[in-house]
Amino acid sequence: MEQINANHSWGGNFKARTVKDITEPAKSIFNKVSVQTALDEMQARAIESSPVIDQRGELLGTVSKNKMNREVGGLGHDPKAEPVEAHIEKNNPYCFNDQTVADAEQMMLNAKIGEVLVVTREKLLVGTINIEGLHRRKDGENAWNL
């Protein structure tokens, strides 16, 4: 996992809101389940990838349906016996829930991604934020008055 450093070249137009103010909950998969269980959960949620956490709730990385299907099914392994833990992608960008929204936006722009996982300083998964949510206040107005 990597925490992307922000470029702090922001002007005074940005409010000092924190990421936790705009974080959406994220469904996750436990690291000890089988690949088949993970694929079934992802199918039921109609998602292509999912964060993976341990029993404590610490973010370990993400898994994707495509990668697991290629690596497990493509090699003839039994998805019911294969642990999902062996297929976790660990180099995912994330931000901390106490960072400013401006920092999170800069991180996402630098990494050219539209969504990022949010964790506590102890790396416990909190949820996700996306680029559209960065510019929306709770009342639907533009957060930056642009």
Side-chain angles (χ1 to χ4, degrees):
M1 295 297 235
E2 67 177 296
Q3 201 281 322
I4 303 172
N5 291 321
N7 174 358
H8 295 282
S9 62
W10 294 101
N13 293 340
F14 291 90
K15 296 180 182 178
R17 289 188 315 153
T18 59
V19 168
K20 66 182 158 196
D21 295 332
I22 61 168
T23 301
E24 297 291 327
K27 298 277 187 177
S28 57
I29 293 173
F30 285 109
N31 63 322
K32 299 297 182 189
V33 302
S34 70
V35 166
Q36 186 63 56
T37 300
L39 289 170
D40 290 346
E41 286 185 36
M42 293 165 73
Q43 180 72 29
R45 294 186 211 148
I47 56 174
E48 295 297 313
S49 66
S50 176
V52 179
I53 60 172
D54 65 13
Q55 294 301 94
R56 203 172 68 85
E58 182 177 337
L59 178 65
L60 302 176
T62 61
V63 290
S64 77
K65 283 171 45 174
N66 288 340
K67 183 178 178 197
M68 287 189 292
N69 283 327
R70 272 194 324 271
E71 292 179 356
V72 178
L75 297 175
H77 296 249
D78 180 3
K80 292 178 183 171
E82 181 82 13
V84 77
E85 196 161 36
H87 303 281
I88 297 172
E89 170 62 45
K90 296 182 189 275
N91 294 322
N92 307 100
Y94 63 87
C95 66
F96 295 111
N97 65 337
D98 60 355
Q99 285 182 279
T100 67
V101 170
D103 284 345
E105 179 179 41
Q106 188 62 50
M107 288 169 33
M108 292 168 75
L109 292 171
N110 290 346
K112 296 182 171 112
I113 54 175
E115 184 174 74
V116 69
L117 297 169
V118 178
V119 297
T120 65
R121 292 288 172 173
E122 295 77 32
K123 282 194 64 183
L124 301 178
L125 180 64
V126 176
T128 64
I129 57 171
N130 61 48
I131 200 76
E132 292 94 24
L134 293 176
H135 295 281
R136 239 187 347 256
R137 292 193 313 221
K138 290 185 194 240
D139 62 4
E141 292 293 318
N142 184 306
W144 309 120
N145 297 322
L146 299 174

